[in-house]
Amino acid sequence: MTRTRQVTYVGEPARLDRVIAAELEPDLGCSRSQVERWIEQGLVTVNARSVTKAAWKVNTGDVIEVLVPSAGPTTLTPFSLTLDILFEDSQLLVINKPAGLSVHPGAGNRDQTLGNAVVAHVGASQLGVGDSGRPGIVHRLDKDTTGVLVIAKTPAAHSALAKQFADRTIERAYRTLVFTTPRARRAVQVSDQGEIAAPIGRHPTKRTLMAVVDRGKPAVTRWSVIERFPYGTMLECRLKTGRTHQIRVHLESLGCPVVGDRTYGNFTSLPRALRTAADSFGRQALHAFTLGFIHPTSGERLVFTAPVPADFEELVAQFREFQ
């Protein structure tokens, strides 16, 4: 059994495999390696022409069609890990993801990810959903982002959740500590709430990074102030879209990068004591606090929250107490 997916690309010229992975991620959770196999197998067309090269350049307006084969049994090796389970039934598994845990396998880590842990917890035979390398994964959090994440245990649950993500009906709220300075007049210092509507795409010169770019994908983040400190502000951020690194990129575009974000942030103006605290924290101060969705079979509205981790609270306390 196969499914057909068609998208019209909007953005800067890019590799075919990267475009497909980005476009189909919310629906199928496909990996780059899986996409490359589809292309090599002749399952992809661009403007009705069969393309078998992953590096084929796609331009704005190109129509890409992918014949997606049904996933086979998972190829992941089980990884024994005690999961912080917030909810579980026959359809879903909702967990509080810890820092340092990758959601699915990638370069340098093939067998100690959340996907591997889910296989160990649920059983490989029950997870024939999504890409066989990402069983049950509907959405993801960055390796060092903590908080609520839902995993589908059946094809029906995977499809129903993927549709809610695609339709943008999922409730997602994050807690984050961002960098500010006492005399600056940045948006989060002069207003209690706001909205960032700025397209996100690949950085024009640093292709491994994301950035606000004119021809990127639409991205909207709503933020509100929880607490202000001389050199930082605690925010709640709610997502209307789900682009890669969206919160981190959007807040950096305001001049208020997420504290501890070594990829996007510049913290040279942060006092030494707070820089030391952020370095000791060791990751970006970003936590998926709330996740809400409709249960795929019961139709019940479910909302889950996970408390901010203790080390995150300690970092906030140091910013609060610094004078």
Side-chain angles (χ1 to χ4, degrees):
M1 180 178 176
T2 58
R3 292 172 286 172
T4 300
R5 291 291 184 271
Q6 185 181 92
V7 295
T8 299
Y9 179 61
V10 178
E12 299 290 338
R15 287 172 57 108
L16 177 61
D17 56 344
R18 291 177 178 170
V19 171
I20 294 174
E23 294 290 344
L24 295 182
E25 174 65 35
D27 186 16
L28 300 173
C30 52
S31 64
R32 282 277 298 280
S33 60
Q34 181 67 67
V35 169
E36 288 173 2
R37 287 194 292 273
W38 293 343
I39 296 171
E40 291 170 357
Q41 292 166 2
L43 301 177
V44 176
T45 63
V46 179
N47 299 328
R49 172 184 175 183
S50 179
V51 175
T52 57
K53 294 182 178 179
W56 183 274
K57 290 297 181 184
V58 179
N59 299 298
T60 291
D62 283 352
V63 178
I64 304 165
E65 187 169 273
V66 184
L67 192 62
V68 182
S70 296
T74 179
T75 59
L76 296 190
T77 302
F79 169 47
S80 180
L81 178 70
T82 301
L83 298 172
D84 184 357
I85 298 173
L86 304 178
F87 174 84
E88 184 173 15
D89 65 6
S90 63
Q91 302 293 311
L92 305 173
L93 176 64
V94 182
I95 70 157
N96 179 17
K97 189 187 87 66
L101 179 65
S102 296
V103 171
H104 50 71
N109 185 4
R110 294 291 180 185
D111 54 14
Q112 295 188 12
T113 71
L114 176 61
N116 300 93
V118 170
V119 169
H121 178 77
V122 177
S125 63
Q126 301 181 53
L127 284 168
V129 293
D131 184 325
S132 61
R134 301 184 185 186
I137 303 299
V138 187
H139 67 125
R140 62 188 179 190
L141 298 175
D142 295 336
K143 175 182 178 181
D144 288 326
T145 297
T146 54
V148 189
L149 188 143
V150 62
I151 296 140
K153 294 170 67 174
T154 69
H158 190 275
S159 178
L161 288 171
K163 186 175 189 305
Q164 291 181 58
F165 274 99
D167 292 344
R168 301 177 184 177
T169 59
I170 298 285
E171 177 187 358
R172 286 176 287 177
Y174 292 72
R175 297 291 169 87
T176 184
L177 174 65
V178 301
F179 170 51
T180 56
T181 53
R183 288 176 293 280
R185 303 293 291 172
R186 299 179 177 91
V188 302
Q189 293 170 274
V190 298
S191 301
D192 290 333
Q193 58 187 3
E195 181 176 282
I196 310 168
I200 291 177
R202 290 288 171 187
H203 192 286
T205 58
K206 301 174 182 177
R207 302 302 293 172
T208 60
L209 304 184
M210 309 303 289
V212 171
V213 292
D214 290 340
R215 299 178 69 180
K217 294 181 181 179
V220 180
T221 303
R222 290 177 176 168
W223 57 267
S224 57
V225 173
I226 297 173
E227 187 176 2
R228 290 191 176 94
F229 320 115
Y231 286 92
T233 302
M234 271 294 291
L235 298 178
E236 177 176 277
C237 292
R238 290 184 173 264
L239 298 183
K240 292 184 67 177
T241 55
R243 307 305 176 202
T244 301
H245 299 172
Q246 178 172 320
I247 291 175
R248 297 161 64 189
V249 170
H250 268 172
L251 292 174
E252 190 279 332
S253 75
L254 293 184
C256 300
V258 175
V259 170
D261 189 347
R262 297 172 182 173
T263 300
Y264 296 105
N266 181 343
F267 305 102
T268 55
S269 299
L270 199 60
R272 183 181 298 275
L274 295 181
R275 283 207 311 272
T276 299
D279 289 343
S280 297
F281 182 64
R283 65 182 189 274
Q284 66 264 11
L286 182 62
H287 175 73
F289 185 71
T290 301
L291 184 70
F293 53 86
I294 301 298
H295 191 283
T297 55
S298 73
E300 180 185 1
R301 179 74 180 176
L302 302 177
V303 179
F304 300 96
T305 61
V308 172
D311 61 344
F312 192 152
E313 291 280 18
E314 174 59 27
L315 179 66
V316 172
Q318 292 180 73
F319 272 74
R320 182 184 292 119
E321 295 163 5
F322 185 86
Q323 300 296 327

